[in-house]
Amino acid sequence: MKTTQFGNQTGIGASFRISEIDGKVFAHDCGIGFARSGEVDTTYLPKGDFLQGRRIDVIVITHTHYDHIGAILRLIRHHPEAYIVISDVAFRLFVVVMLDSLKISRKNEEWAREAGLPYERLFNEADLERFVESDMLYTVNMADTPYWVRNTPWPGWNIGFASAGHTSGAIMTFIESPGDWPAFFTGDVSSRSSRTVTGQMLPDKSFLDGFLDLPGLVMVTEATNGARRATSTPEQVENEIYNYLVKEVVPRDGIAFFPSFGQTKGPDTASMLVAMGFRPWIDGLIRNTMRIEAPETEQWLKEEKIFFFDEDSKEHADLQRRQVAQGEFGFTPVIASSATLNKGVSVKHAEMLLPERRNAVIFTGYTFEGSVAKEILNLGVERGRTIKLDRYVGRRRTEPTYVNVVCDVKHFDRSSHDYQDGLVERARLVNPSTLIVEHCDDEGFEGFRTALQAVAPQIPVIRGS
Protein backbone atom coordinates (compact mmCIF):
# COMPACT_ATOMS: atom_id res chain seq x y z
CA MET A 1 0.00 0.00 0.00
CA LYS A 2 1.20 3.49 -0.84
CA THR A 3 -0.77 6.60 0.13
CA THR A 4 0.09 10.22 -0.63
CA GLN A 5 -1.47 13.56 0.34
CA PHE A 6 -1.16 15.99 -2.57
CA GLY A 7 -2.90 18.79 -0.64
CA ASN A 8 -1.70 21.09 2.12
CA GLN A 9 1.05 19.34 4.07
CA THR A 10 1.10 21.52 7.19
CA GLY A 11 -2.41 22.92 7.41
CA ILE A 12 -5.88 22.74 5.92
CA GLY A 13 -6.62 23.16 2.24
CA ALA A 14 -6.74 21.47 -1.18
CA SER A 15 -7.19 17.96 0.20
CA PHE A 16 -6.38 15.30 -2.40
CA ARG A 17 -5.27 11.87 -1.18
CA ILE A 18 -4.22 9.11 -3.56
CA SER A 19 -3.92 5.57 -2.20
CA GLU A 20 -2.56 2.66 -4.23
CA ILE A 21 -3.85 -0.53 -2.62
CA ASP A 22 -3.22 -3.97 -4.05
CA GLY A 23 -3.07 -2.66 -7.61
CA LYS A 24 -6.10 -0.32 -7.39
CA VAL A 25 -5.91 3.46 -7.09
CA PHE A 26 -8.30 5.31 -4.79
CA ALA A 27 -8.67 9.11 -4.65
CA HIS A 28 -10.24 10.78 -1.65
CA ASP A 29 -11.47 14.30 -2.49
CA CYS A 30 -9.85 17.02 -4.57
CA GLY A 31 -10.30 20.46 -3.07
CA ILE A 32 -9.00 24.00 -3.20
CA GLY A 33 -7.12 25.97 -0.59
CA PHE A 34 -7.44 29.56 0.57
CA ALA A 35 -4.52 31.93 1.22
CA ARG A 36 -3.88 35.61 1.63
CA SER A 37 -0.71 37.49 0.80
CA GLY A 38 -0.91 41.10 1.97
CA GLU A 39 -4.04 42.52 0.35
CA VAL A 40 -4.35 39.74 -2.23
CA ASP A 41 -6.71 36.80 -1.73
CA THR A 42 -5.70 33.67 -3.61
CA THR A 43 -6.82 30.08 -3.98
CA TYR A 44 -4.54 27.16 -4.68
CA LEU A 45 -4.91 23.62 -6.04
CA PRO A 46 -3.42 20.35 -4.84
CA LYS A 47 -0.19 19.12 -6.43
CA GLY A 48 -0.06 16.25 -8.88
CA ASP A 49 -1.75 17.91 -11.89
CA PHE A 50 -4.90 15.83 -11.26
CA LEU A 51 -2.85 12.66 -11.96
CA GLN A 52 -3.29 13.19 -15.67
CA GLY A 53 -2.04 10.22 -17.64
CA ARG A 54 -2.48 7.84 -14.70
CA ARG A 55 -5.44 5.59 -13.91
CA ILE A 56 -7.74 6.20 -10.93
CA ASP A 57 -10.14 3.39 -10.09
CA VAL A 58 -12.35 5.04 -7.45
CA ILE A 59 -12.93 8.68 -6.46
CA VAL A 60 -14.49 8.99 -3.01
CA ILE A 61 -16.06 12.35 -2.12
CA THR A 62 -15.99 12.34 1.68
CA HIS A 63 -18.08 15.53 2.10
CA THR A 64 -18.89 18.77 0.32
CA HIS A 65 -16.70 21.49 1.82
CA TYR A 66 -14.70 23.49 -0.74
CA ASP A 67 -11.33 22.40 0.65
CA HIS A 68 -12.38 18.86 -0.32
CA ILE A 69 -14.47 19.32 -3.50
CA GLY A 70 -13.44 22.63 -5.05
CA ALA A 71 -11.46 20.93 -7.83
CA ILE A 72 -13.24 17.56 -7.92
CA LEU A 73 -15.08 18.18 -11.20
CA ARG A 74 -11.79 18.87 -12.96
CA LEU A 75 -10.42 15.61 -11.52
CA ILE A 76 -13.48 13.72 -12.79
CA ARG A 77 -13.08 15.34 -16.23
CA HIS A 78 -9.58 13.86 -16.49
CA HIS A 79 -10.62 10.44 -15.15
CA PRO A 80 -13.77 9.13 -16.84
CA GLU A 81 -12.53 5.62 -16.01
CA ALA A 82 -13.07 6.11 -12.26
CA TYR A 83 -16.08 5.09 -10.21
CA ILE A 84 -17.36 8.06 -8.17
CA VAL A 85 -18.72 7.48 -4.67
CA ILE A 86 -20.69 10.08 -2.69
CA SER A 87 -23.55 9.86 -0.19
CA ASP A 88 -27.03 10.76 -1.40
CA VAL A 89 -27.24 13.72 1.00
CA ALA A 90 -23.81 14.98 -0.05
CA PHE A 91 -24.82 14.57 -3.71
CA ARG A 92 -27.73 16.98 -3.26
CA LEU A 93 -25.50 19.47 -1.43
CA PHE A 94 -22.79 19.06 -4.07
CA VAL A 95 -25.11 20.11 -6.89
CA VAL A 96 -26.25 23.20 -4.97
CA VAL A 97 -22.69 24.20 -4.09
CA MET A 98 -21.34 23.65 -7.58
CA LEU A 99 -24.14 25.68 -9.17
CA ASP A 100 -23.26 28.51 -6.80
CA SER A 101 -19.58 28.16 -7.70
CA LEU A 102 -20.40 28.27 -11.40
CA LYS A 103 -22.28 31.52 -10.88
CA ILE A 104 -19.26 33.05 -9.14
CA SER A 105 -16.81 31.77 -11.74
CA ARG A 106 -18.90 33.23 -14.58
CA LYS A 107 -18.79 36.58 -12.81
CA ASN A 108 -15.01 36.34 -12.36
CA GLU A 109 -14.65 35.47 -16.03
CA GLU A 110 -16.58 38.61 -17.01
CA TRP A 111 -14.39 40.79 -14.78
CA ALA A 112 -11.21 39.27 -16.21
CA ARG A 113 -12.40 39.74 -19.79
CA GLU A 114 -13.28 43.40 -19.17
CA ALA A 115 -9.85 43.94 -17.62
CA GLY A 116 -8.12 42.21 -20.54
CA LEU A 117 -6.78 39.45 -18.28
CA PRO A 118 -6.62 35.71 -18.99
CA TYR A 119 -8.98 33.55 -16.98
CA GLU A 120 -9.75 29.84 -17.09
CA ARG A 121 -12.63 28.44 -15.10
CA LEU A 122 -11.65 25.46 -12.96
CA PHE A 123 -14.74 23.62 -14.17
CA ASN A 124 -17.76 24.39 -16.32
CA GLU A 125 -21.41 23.49 -16.78
CA ALA A 126 -20.52 20.47 -18.91
CA ASP A 127 -18.36 19.10 -16.08
CA LEU A 128 -21.25 19.31 -13.63
CA GLU A 129 -23.64 17.71 -16.11
CA ARG A 130 -21.12 14.93 -16.75
CA PHE A 131 -20.94 14.24 -13.01
CA VAL A 132 -24.71 14.23 -12.44
CA GLU A 133 -25.41 11.92 -15.39
CA SER A 134 -22.36 9.67 -15.05
CA ASP A 135 -22.86 5.91 -15.30
CA MET A 136 -19.88 5.62 -12.94
CA LEU A 137 -21.63 7.50 -10.11
CA TYR A 138 -22.52 5.48 -7.01
CA THR A 139 -24.56 7.23 -4.28
CA VAL A 140 -24.54 5.84 -0.75
CA ASN A 141 -27.97 5.89 0.90
CA MET A 142 -27.34 7.56 4.26
CA ALA A 143 -30.61 6.20 5.64
CA ASP A 144 -29.15 2.69 5.35
CA THR A 145 -25.54 3.31 6.40
CA PRO A 146 -23.35 1.85 7.58
CA TYR A 147 -23.12 -0.92 5.03
CA TRP A 148 -20.66 -2.86 2.93
CA VAL A 149 -20.54 -3.05 -0.84
CA ARG A 150 -19.46 -6.66 -1.28
CA ASN A 151 -20.40 -7.04 -4.94
CA THR A 152 -17.79 -4.62 -6.26
CA PRO A 153 -16.68 -4.95 -9.89
CA TRP A 154 -13.48 -6.60 -8.63
CA PRO A 155 -13.54 -10.08 -7.02
CA GLY A 156 -12.29 -10.15 -3.45
CA TRP A 157 -12.73 -6.42 -2.81
CA ASN A 158 -15.12 -5.16 -0.11
CA ILE A 159 -15.68 -1.45 0.50
CA GLY A 160 -17.71 -0.13 3.44
CA PHE A 161 -19.16 3.29 4.16
CA ALA A 162 -20.44 4.89 7.35
CA SER A 163 -21.35 8.37 8.51
CA ALA A 164 -18.36 10.45 9.62
CA GLY A 165 -20.44 12.77 11.81
CA HIS A 166 -18.62 15.83 10.42
CA THR A 167 -21.23 17.34 8.12
CA SER A 168 -24.49 16.29 6.51
CA GLY A 169 -23.67 13.33 4.27
CA ALA A 170 -20.01 12.99 5.29
CA ILE A 171 -18.69 9.43 5.02
CA MET A 172 -15.75 7.37 6.23
CA THR A 173 -14.39 4.53 4.09
CA PHE A 174 -13.29 0.98 4.92
CA ILE A 175 -11.40 -1.03 2.30
CA GLU A 176 -10.64 -4.77 2.26
CA SER A 177 -8.50 -5.99 -0.63
CA PRO A 178 -7.91 -9.57 -1.77
CA GLY A 179 -4.22 -9.13 -0.97
CA ASP A 180 -4.97 -8.40 2.68
CA TRP A 181 -4.17 -4.68 2.71
CA PRO A 182 -6.97 -3.23 4.90
CA ALA A 183 -7.35 0.56 5.08
CA PHE A 184 -9.63 2.93 7.00
CA PHE A 185 -10.07 6.56 5.93
CA THR A 186 -12.04 8.74 8.37
CA GLY A 187 -12.16 11.89 6.25
CA ASP A 188 -13.05 14.90 8.38
CA VAL A 189 -14.76 13.36 11.38
CA SER A 190 -16.61 14.18 14.60
CA SER A 191 -18.05 12.11 17.42
CA ARG A 192 -19.88 15.20 18.73
CA SER A 193 -23.42 15.81 17.51
CA SER A 194 -24.77 19.13 16.28
CA ARG A 195 -28.35 20.19 15.58
CA THR A 196 -28.22 18.80 12.05
CA VAL A 197 -25.64 15.98 12.22
CA THR A 198 -25.31 13.01 14.57
CA GLY A 199 -21.75 12.42 15.75
CA GLN A 200 -19.95 9.17 14.97
CA MET A 201 -17.08 7.54 16.84
CA LEU A 202 -17.09 4.25 14.89
CA PRO A 203 -19.77 2.04 13.33
CA ASP A 204 -21.05 -0.75 15.55
CA LYS A 205 -19.42 -4.19 15.80
CA SER A 206 -21.97 -5.83 13.53
CA PHE A 207 -20.79 -3.61 10.68
CA LEU A 208 -17.09 -3.83 11.48
CA ASP A 209 -17.37 -7.65 11.66
CA GLY A 210 -13.73 -8.17 12.62
CA PHE A 211 -12.36 -5.45 10.31
CA LEU A 212 -10.35 -3.83 13.10
CA ASP A 213 -8.65 -7.16 13.83
CA LEU A 214 -7.21 -7.49 10.34
CA PRO A 215 -3.39 -7.48 10.38
CA GLY A 216 -1.59 -4.55 8.82
CA LEU A 217 -4.55 -2.15 9.10
CA VAL A 218 -3.64 1.39 8.00
CA MET A 219 -5.76 4.25 9.35
CA VAL A 220 -5.74 7.76 7.85
CA THR A 221 -7.36 10.49 9.91
CA GLU A 222 -7.55 14.25 10.26
CA ALA A 223 -6.40 16.22 13.30
CA THR A 224 -7.73 19.74 12.82
CA ASN A 225 -8.22 20.08 16.59
CA GLY A 226 -5.41 17.71 17.52
CA ALA A 227 -3.91 20.13 20.02
CA ARG A 228 -7.21 21.20 21.54
CA ARG A 229 -9.05 19.43 24.32
CA ALA A 230 -12.83 19.80 24.51
CA THR A 231 -13.64 22.13 27.40
CA SER A 232 -17.41 22.23 26.89
CA THR A 233 -20.13 19.97 25.55
CA PRO A 234 -22.17 21.16 22.54
CA GLU A 235 -25.08 21.77 24.94
CA GLN A 236 -22.91 23.94 27.18
CA VAL A 237 -21.74 26.01 24.22
CA GLU A 238 -25.37 26.53 23.15
CA ASN A 239 -26.16 27.74 26.68
CA GLU A 240 -23.25 30.17 26.51
CA ILE A 241 -24.55 31.59 23.23
CA TYR A 242 -28.11 31.85 24.58
CA ASN A 243 -27.02 33.59 27.79
CA TYR A 244 -24.84 36.04 25.88
CA LEU A 245 -27.65 36.93 23.49
CA VAL A 246 -30.35 37.44 26.15
CA LYS A 247 -28.06 39.34 28.51
CA GLU A 248 -26.11 41.48 26.06
CA VAL A 249 -27.61 41.79 22.58
CA VAL A 250 -31.38 41.46 23.10
CA PRO A 251 -31.62 44.26 25.72
CA ARG A 252 -30.03 46.77 23.37
CA ASP A 253 -32.11 45.66 20.33
CA GLY A 254 -28.94 44.70 18.53
CA ILE A 255 -28.30 42.45 15.57
CA ALA A 256 -26.55 39.14 16.26
CA PHE A 257 -24.62 38.52 13.04
CA PHE A 258 -23.45 34.95 12.36
CA PRO A 259 -21.18 34.76 9.27
CA SER A 260 -21.36 31.05 8.45
CA PHE A 261 -20.24 28.41 6.02
CA GLY A 262 -23.00 27.70 3.55
CA GLN A 263 -23.19 24.03 4.51
CA THR A 264 -23.74 22.51 7.94
CA LYS A 265 -22.67 25.51 10.01
CA GLY A 266 -25.36 27.82 8.63
CA PRO A 267 -28.24 25.32 8.88
CA ASP A 268 -26.94 24.16 12.27
CA THR A 269 -26.88 27.71 13.63
CA ALA A 270 -30.37 28.40 12.28
CA SER A 271 -31.72 25.22 13.90
CA MET A 272 -30.08 26.16 17.19
CA LEU A 273 -31.57 29.66 17.20
CA VAL A 274 -35.05 28.35 16.38
CA ALA A 275 -34.77 25.92 19.31
CA MET A 276 -33.85 28.90 21.53
CA GLY A 277 -37.04 30.67 20.50
CA PHE A 278 -35.41 33.28 18.24
CA ARG A 279 -36.43 33.99 14.65
CA PRO A 280 -33.32 34.25 12.46
CA TRP A 281 -33.06 35.90 9.07
CA ILE A 282 -31.06 33.82 6.60
CA ASP A 283 -29.14 34.93 3.52
CA GLY A 284 -27.04 33.57 0.68
CA LEU A 285 -26.27 29.94 -0.10
CA ILE A 286 -27.60 28.88 3.32
CA ARG A 287 -31.16 29.37 2.05
CA ASN A 288 -30.57 26.45 -0.32
CA THR A 289 -28.55 24.17 1.93
CA MET A 290 -31.09 24.53 4.75
CA ARG A 291 -33.73 22.89 2.60
CA ILE A 292 -31.48 19.83 2.40
CA GLU A 293 -29.97 19.76 5.88
CA ALA A 294 -32.93 20.93 7.96
CA PRO A 295 -36.11 19.15 6.78
CA GLU A 296 -38.25 21.48 8.90
CA THR A 297 -37.24 24.52 6.84
CA GLU A 298 -40.41 24.93 4.75
CA GLN A 299 -42.61 24.52 7.82
CA TRP A 300 -40.51 27.05 9.74
CA LEU A 301 -40.93 29.53 6.88
CA LYS A 302 -44.72 29.08 6.93
CA GLU A 303 -44.83 29.52 10.70
CA GLU A 304 -42.45 32.52 10.49
CA LYS A 305 -39.94 30.87 12.79
CA ILE A 306 -37.30 31.80 10.21
CA PHE A 307 -37.14 34.38 7.43
CA PHE A 308 -35.25 34.33 4.15
CA PHE A 309 -33.95 37.52 2.60
CA ASP A 310 -35.74 37.73 -0.75
CA GLU A 311 -34.44 35.04 -3.11
CA ASP A 312 -36.01 36.53 -6.26
CA SER A 313 -35.45 40.28 -6.03
CA LYS A 314 -31.99 41.68 -5.28
CA GLU A 315 -33.46 45.14 -4.77
CA HIS A 316 -35.99 43.90 -2.24
CA ALA A 317 -33.33 41.79 -0.50
CA ASP A 318 -31.09 44.86 -0.18
CA LEU A 319 -34.02 46.80 1.29
CA GLN A 320 -34.62 44.02 3.81
CA ARG A 321 -30.94 44.01 4.76
CA ARG A 322 -31.05 47.77 5.43
CA GLN A 323 -34.25 47.43 7.44
CA VAL A 324 -32.76 44.71 9.62
CA ALA A 325 -29.49 46.63 10.07
CA GLN A 326 -31.35 49.79 11.06
CA GLY A 327 -33.16 47.88 13.78
CA GLU A 328 -36.68 48.11 12.35
CA PHE A 329 -37.42 44.61 13.66
CA GLY A 330 -35.65 45.02 17.00
CA PHE A 331 -33.27 42.27 18.07
CA THR A 332 -32.61 40.02 15.07
CA PRO A 333 -30.19 37.15 14.46
CA VAL A 334 -28.75 37.21 10.91
CA ILE A 335 -27.06 34.18 9.37
CA ALA A 336 -25.25 34.77 6.08
CA SER A 337 -22.57 33.08 3.97
CA SER A 338 -19.62 33.17 3.73
CA ALA A 339 -17.95 32.54 7.08
CA THR A 340 -14.60 34.02 6.02
CA LEU A 341 -16.10 37.46 5.16
CA ASN A 342 -13.98 37.36 2.01
CA LYS A 343 -16.59 38.51 -0.49
CA GLY A 344 -19.97 36.77 -0.38
CA VAL A 345 -23.29 38.19 0.77
CA SER A 346 -22.09 38.27 4.37
CA VAL A 347 -19.97 41.31 3.43
CA LYS A 348 -23.16 43.30 2.72
CA HIS A 349 -24.28 42.70 6.27
CA ALA A 350 -20.82 43.22 7.76
CA GLU A 351 -20.37 46.72 6.38
CA MET A 352 -23.67 47.81 7.98
CA LEU A 353 -23.45 45.86 11.25
CA LEU A 354 -19.81 45.98 12.33
CA PRO A 355 -19.68 49.77 12.93
CA GLU A 356 -22.64 49.74 15.37
CA ARG A 357 -21.96 49.28 19.10
CA ARG A 358 -25.31 47.60 19.78
CA ASN A 359 -24.56 44.71 17.42
CA ALA A 360 -22.42 41.59 17.73
CA VAL A 361 -20.58 39.48 15.18
CA ILE A 362 -20.44 35.86 16.32
CA PHE A 363 -18.22 33.15 14.84
CA THR A 364 -18.97 29.52 15.67
CA GLY A 365 -16.68 27.49 13.41
CA TYR A 366 -13.17 27.26 12.03
CA THR A 367 -11.58 30.54 10.93
CA PHE A 368 -8.99 30.25 8.16
CA GLU A 369 -5.66 32.01 8.56
CA GLY A 370 -5.56 35.07 6.31
CA SER A 371 -9.34 35.47 6.20
CA VAL A 372 -11.13 38.67 7.18
CA ALA A 373 -12.93 36.69 9.89
CA LYS A 374 -9.57 35.74 11.44
CA GLU A 375 -8.44 39.35 11.24
CA ILE A 376 -11.55 40.51 13.10
CA LEU A 377 -11.09 37.86 15.79
CA ASN A 378 -7.45 38.90 16.23
CA LEU A 379 -8.56 42.43 17.07
CA GLY A 380 -9.48 41.13 20.53
CA VAL A 381 -11.02 43.88 22.65
CA GLU A 382 -9.70 46.69 20.46
CA ARG A 383 -12.82 48.44 19.23
CA GLY A 384 -12.76 51.00 16.48
CA ARG A 385 -10.03 49.35 14.40
CA THR A 386 -10.50 49.63 10.63
CA ILE A 387 -10.63 46.58 8.39
CA LYS A 388 -11.01 46.22 4.64
CA LEU A 389 -13.92 44.35 3.11
CA ASP A 390 -14.31 43.51 -0.58
CA ARG A 391 -17.88 44.07 -1.67
CA TYR A 392 -19.62 43.47 -4.96
CA VAL A 393 -20.50 46.56 -6.97
CA GLY A 394 -23.21 45.81 -9.48
CA ARG A 395 -22.78 42.43 -11.17
CA ARG A 396 -19.26 42.53 -12.47
CA ARG A 397 -16.67 43.80 -10.02
CA THR A 398 -15.69 44.31 -6.42
CA GLU A 399 -14.27 47.31 -4.66
CA PRO A 400 -12.78 47.72 -1.19
CA THR A 401 -14.80 49.28 1.59
CA TYR A 402 -13.35 50.18 4.97
CA VAL A 403 -15.32 49.80 8.17
CA ASN A 404 -14.61 50.29 11.85
CA VAL A 405 -15.22 47.21 13.99
CA VAL A 406 -17.13 48.73 16.90
CA CYS A 407 -19.58 45.92 17.65
CA ASP A 408 -18.89 43.00 20.00
CA VAL A 409 -16.74 40.25 18.51
CA LYS A 410 -17.35 36.77 19.90
CA HIS A 411 -16.23 33.22 19.14
CA PHE A 412 -18.19 30.27 20.50
CA ASP A 413 -16.59 26.99 19.57
CA ARG A 414 -19.07 24.69 17.81
CA SER A 415 -16.46 22.90 15.75
CA SER A 416 -17.62 20.10 13.47
CA HIS A 417 -14.21 18.43 13.87
CA ASP A 418 -13.36 16.12 16.74
CA TYR A 419 -11.19 17.51 19.51
CA GLN A 420 -8.09 15.79 20.80
CA ASP A 421 -9.97 13.46 23.15
CA GLY A 422 -12.29 12.18 20.41
CA LEU A 423 -9.44 11.73 17.93
CA VAL A 424 -7.33 9.84 20.47
CA GLU A 425 -10.19 7.58 21.54
CA ARG A 426 -11.03 6.62 17.95
CA ALA A 427 -7.40 5.79 17.16
CA ARG A 428 -7.09 3.79 20.40
CA LEU A 429 -10.18 1.76 19.56
CA VAL A 430 -9.01 1.06 16.01
CA ASN A 431 -5.43 0.28 17.15
CA PRO A 432 -4.04 0.35 13.60
CA SER A 433 -0.67 -1.02 12.56
CA THR A 434 0.05 2.42 11.09
CA LEU A 435 -1.71 5.75 11.71
CA ILE A 436 -1.34 8.54 9.16
CA VAL A 437 -2.40 12.02 10.32
CA GLU A 438 -3.28 14.92 8.00
CA HIS A 439 -5.51 18.02 7.73
CA CYS A 440 -3.80 19.87 10.59
CA ASP A 441 -1.05 22.34 11.39
CA ASP A 442 2.15 21.36 13.19
CA GLU A 443 0.65 22.11 16.59
CA GLY A 444 -2.37 19.92 15.85
CA PHE A 445 -0.19 17.01 14.74
CA GLU A 446 2.17 17.16 17.70
CA GLY A 447 -0.67 17.60 20.18
CA PHE A 448 -2.53 14.59 18.80
CA ARG A 449 0.59 12.41 18.51
CA THR A 450 1.73 13.17 22.06
CA ALA A 451 -1.71 12.55 23.57
CA LEU A 452 -2.13 9.28 21.64
CA GLN A 453 1.29 7.94 22.60
CA ALA A 454 0.44 8.50 26.25
CA VAL A 455 -2.41 5.95 26.03
CA ALA A 456 -1.40 3.80 23.03
CA PRO A 457 2.38 3.92 22.60
CA GLN A 458 2.29 0.86 20.33
CA ILE A 459 0.65 2.81 17.46
CA PRO A 460 3.17 4.26 14.97
CA VAL A 461 2.11 7.80 14.00
CA ILE A 462 3.16 9.31 10.67
CA ARG A 463 2.54 12.81 9.32
CA GLY A 464 0.59 12.67 6.06
CA SER A 465 2.80 13.84 3.19
Short mmCIF file of all heavy atoms in Angstrom, two decimals, residues 33 50 60 64 89 91 104 106 145 177 213 232 241 276-277 288 301 306 308 348 360 384 405 458:
data_model
loop_
_atom_site.label_atom_id
_atom_site.label_comp_id
_atom_site.label_asym_id
_atom_site.label_seq_id
_atom_site.Cartn_x
_atom_site.Cartn_y
_atom_site.Cartn_z
N GLY A 33 -7.57 25.34 -1.82
CA GLY A 33 -7.12 25.97 -0.59
C GLY A 33 -7.29 27.48 -0.67
O GLY A 33 -7.41 28.05 -1.77
N PHE A 50 -3.71 16.68 -11.15
CA PHE A 50 -4.90 15.83 -11.26
C PHE A 50 -4.57 14.40 -11.72
O PHE A 50 -5.43 13.69 -12.22
CB PHE A 50 -5.93 16.45 -12.22
CG PHE A 50 -6.41 17.80 -11.77
CD1 PHE A 50 -5.91 18.96 -12.34
CD2 PHE A 50 -7.37 17.91 -10.78
CE1 PHE A 50 -6.36 20.21 -11.91
CE2 PHE A 50 -7.81 19.15 -10.35
CZ PHE A 50 -7.31 20.30 -10.92
N VAL A 60 -13.56 8.89 -4.14
CA VAL A 60 -14.49 8.99 -3.01
C VAL A 60 -14.59 10.46 -2.61
O VAL A 60 -13.58 11.11 -2.33
CB VAL A 60 -14.02 8.16 -1.80
CG1 VAL A 60 -14.99 8.32 -0.63
CG2 VAL A 60 -13.89 6.69 -2.18
N THR A 64 -18.76 17.74 1.35
CA THR A 64 -18.89 18.77 0.32
C THR A 64 -18.40 20.15 0.76
O THR A 64 -18.95 21.17 0.34
CB THR A 64 -20.35 18.86 -0.15
OG1 THR A 64 -21.22 18.98 0.99
CG2 THR A 64 -20.73 17.63 -0.94
N VAL A 89 -27.08 12.37 0.43
CA VAL A 89 -27.24 13.72 1.00
C VAL A 89 -26.16 14.65 0.46
O VAL A 89 -26.44 15.79 0.05
CB VAL A 89 -27.20 13.67 2.54
CG1 VAL A 89 -27.27 15.08 3.13
CG2 VAL A 89 -28.35 12.81 3.08
N PHE A 91 -24.56 14.34 -2.29
CA PHE A 91 -24.82 14.57 -3.71
C PHE A 91 -25.73 15.78 -3.91
O PHE A 91 -25.47 16.65 -4.76
CB PHE A 91 -25.45 13.32 -4.34
CG PHE A 91 -25.89 13.51 -5.76
CD1 PHE A 91 -24.99 13.43 -6.80
CD2 PHE A 91 -27.22 13.79 -6.06
CE1 PHE A 91 -25.39 13.62 -8.12
CE2 PHE A 91 -27.64 13.97 -7.37
CZ PHE A 91 -26.72 13.89 -8.41
N ILE A 104 -20.38 32.18 -9.52
CA ILE A 104 -19.26 33.05 -9.14
C ILE A 104 -18.18 33.04 -10.20
O ILE A 104 -17.62 34.08 -10.55
CB ILE A 104 -18.70 32.60 -7.78
CG1 ILE A 104 -19.74 32.82 -6.68
CG2 ILE A 104 -17.41 33.34 -7.44
CD1 ILE A 104 -19.37 32.19 -5.35
N ARG A 106 -18.47 32.47 -13.40
CA ARG A 106 -18.90 33.23 -14.58
C ARG A 106 -18.70 34.73 -14.35
O ARG A 106 -18.29 35.46 -15.26
CB ARG A 106 -20.37 32.93 -14.89
CG ARG A 106 -20.60 31.59 -15.57
CD ARG A 106 -22.01 31.49 -16.15
NE ARG A 106 -23.03 31.49 -15.10
CZ ARG A 106 -23.55 30.40 -14.56
NH1 ARG A 106 -23.14 29.21 -14.95
NH2 ARG A 106 -24.48 30.49 -13.63
N THR A 145 -26.92 3.52 5.97
CA THR A 145 -25.54 3.31 6.40
C THR A 145 -25.53 2.99 7.88
O THR A 145 -26.43 3.40 8.62
CB THR A 145 -24.68 4.57 6.15
OG1 THR A 145 -25.26 5.67 6.80
CG2 THR A 145 -24.49 4.81 4.68
N SER A 177 -8.97 -5.54 0.69
CA SER A 177 -8.50 -5.99 -0.63
C SER A 177 -8.21 -7.48 -0.59
O SER A 177 -7.98 -8.05 0.48
CB SER A 177 -7.23 -5.22 -1.01
OG SER A 177 -6.12 -5.73 -0.28
N ASP A 213 -9.61 -6.12 13.44
CA ASP A 213 -8.65 -7.16 13.83
C ASP A 213 -7.77 -7.60 12.68
O ASP A 213 -6.86 -8.43 12.88
CB ASP A 213 -9.41 -8.38 14.38
CG ASP A 213 -10.23 -8.04 15.61
OD1 ASP A 213 -9.77 -7.21 16.42
OD2 ASP A 213 -11.35 -8.58 15.74
N SER A 232 -15.97 22.11 26.69
CA SER A 232 -17.41 22.23 26.89
C SER A 232 -18.12 21.23 25.99
O SER A 232 -17.62 20.88 24.92
CB SER A 232 -17.90 23.65 26.55
OG SER A 232 -17.22 24.63 27.29
N ILE A 241 -24.05 30.69 24.28
CA ILE A 241 -24.55 31.59 23.23
C ILE A 241 -25.89 32.20 23.65
O ILE A 241 -26.10 33.42 23.53
CB ILE A 241 -24.70 30.82 21.90
CG1 ILE A 241 -23.34 30.36 21.40
CG2 ILE A 241 -25.40 31.69 20.85
CD1 ILE A 241 -23.39 29.45 20.19
N MET A 276 -33.95 27.93 20.42
CA MET A 276 -33.85 28.90 21.53
C MET A 276 -35.04 29.84 21.58
O MET A 276 -35.20 30.60 22.53
CB MET A 276 -32.57 29.72 21.37
CG MET A 276 -31.29 28.96 21.60
SD MET A 276 -29.84 30.02 21.27
CE MET A 276 -28.50 28.90 21.70
N GLY A 277 -35.88 29.80 20.55
CA GLY A 277 -37.04 30.67 20.50
C GLY A 277 -36.83 31.96 19.74
O GLY A 277 -37.70 32.84 19.73
N ASN A 288 -30.43 27.69 0.45
CA ASN A 288 -30.57 26.45 -0.32
C ASN A 288 -30.14 25.23 0.47
O ASN A 288 -30.80 24.18 0.42
CB ASN A 288 -29.76 26.55 -1.62
CG ASN A 288 -30.28 27.61 -2.55
OD1 ASN A 288 -31.48 27.85 -2.63
ND2 ASN A 288 -29.39 28.28 -3.26
N LEU A 301 -40.63 28.33 7.66
CA LEU A 301 -40.93 29.53 6.88
C LEU A 301 -42.42 29.86 6.96
O LEU A 301 -42.80 31.04 7.13
CB LEU A 301 -40.53 29.31 5.42
CG LEU A 301 -39.02 29.36 5.12
CD1 LEU A 301 -38.73 28.83 3.72
CD2 LEU A 301 -38.49 30.80 5.27
N ILE A 306 -38.48 31.30 10.91
CA ILE A 306 -37.30 31.80 10.21
C ILE A 306 -37.76 32.68 9.06
O ILE A 306 -38.92 32.59 8.63
CB ILE A 306 -36.41 30.67 9.66
CG1 ILE A 306 -37.17 29.82 8.65
CG2 ILE A 306 -35.83 29.80 10.78
CD1 ILE A 306 -36.31 28.78 7.95
N PHE A 308 -36.27 34.27 5.18
CA PHE A 308 -35.25 34.33 4.15
C PHE A 308 -35.24 35.73 3.55
O PHE A 308 -36.31 36.28 3.22
CB PHE A 308 -35.53 33.33 3.02
CG PHE A 308 -35.19 31.90 3.34
CD1 PHE A 308 -34.66 31.54 4.58
CD2 PHE A 308 -35.38 30.92 2.39
CE1 PHE A 308 -34.35 30.23 4.86
CE2 PHE A 308 -35.06 29.59 2.66
CZ PHE A 308 -34.55 29.25 3.90
N LYS A 348 -22.12 42.25 2.73
CA LYS A 348 -23.16 43.30 2.72
C LYS A 348 -23.66 43.58 4.13
O LYS A 348 -23.93 44.73 4.49
CB LYS A 348 -24.33 42.87 1.83
CG LYS A 348 -24.02 42.86 0.34
CD LYS A 348 -25.30 42.65 -0.47
CE LYS A 348 -25.05 42.78 -1.96
NZ LYS A 348 -26.29 42.70 -2.75
N ALA A 360 -23.48 42.55 17.43
CA ALA A 360 -22.42 41.59 17.73
C ALA A 360 -22.19 40.71 16.51
O ALA A 360 -23.14 40.31 15.84
CB ALA A 360 -22.83 40.72 18.92
N GLY A 384 -13.04 49.83 17.29
CA GLY A 384 -12.76 51.00 16.48
C GLY A 384 -11.68 50.80 15.44
O GLY A 384 -11.38 51.70 14.66
N VAL A 405 -14.62 48.30 13.24
CA VAL A 405 -15.22 47.21 13.99
C VAL A 405 -15.49 47.72 15.41
O VAL A 405 -14.62 47.71 16.27
CB VAL A 405 -14.33 45.96 14.02
CG1 VAL A 405 -15.02 44.82 14.77
CG2 VAL A 405 -13.99 45.52 12.61
N GLN A 458 1.97 1.86 21.34
CA GLN A 458 2.29 0.86 20.33
C GLN A 458 1.90 1.28 18.92
O GLN A 458 2.29 0.63 17.94
CB GLN A 458 1.56 -0.47 20.66
CG GLN A 458 0.06 -0.51 20.36
CD GLN A 458 -0.81 0.21 21.40
OE1 GLN A 458 -0.28 0.83 22.33
NE2 GLN A 458 -2.12 0.12 21.25
#
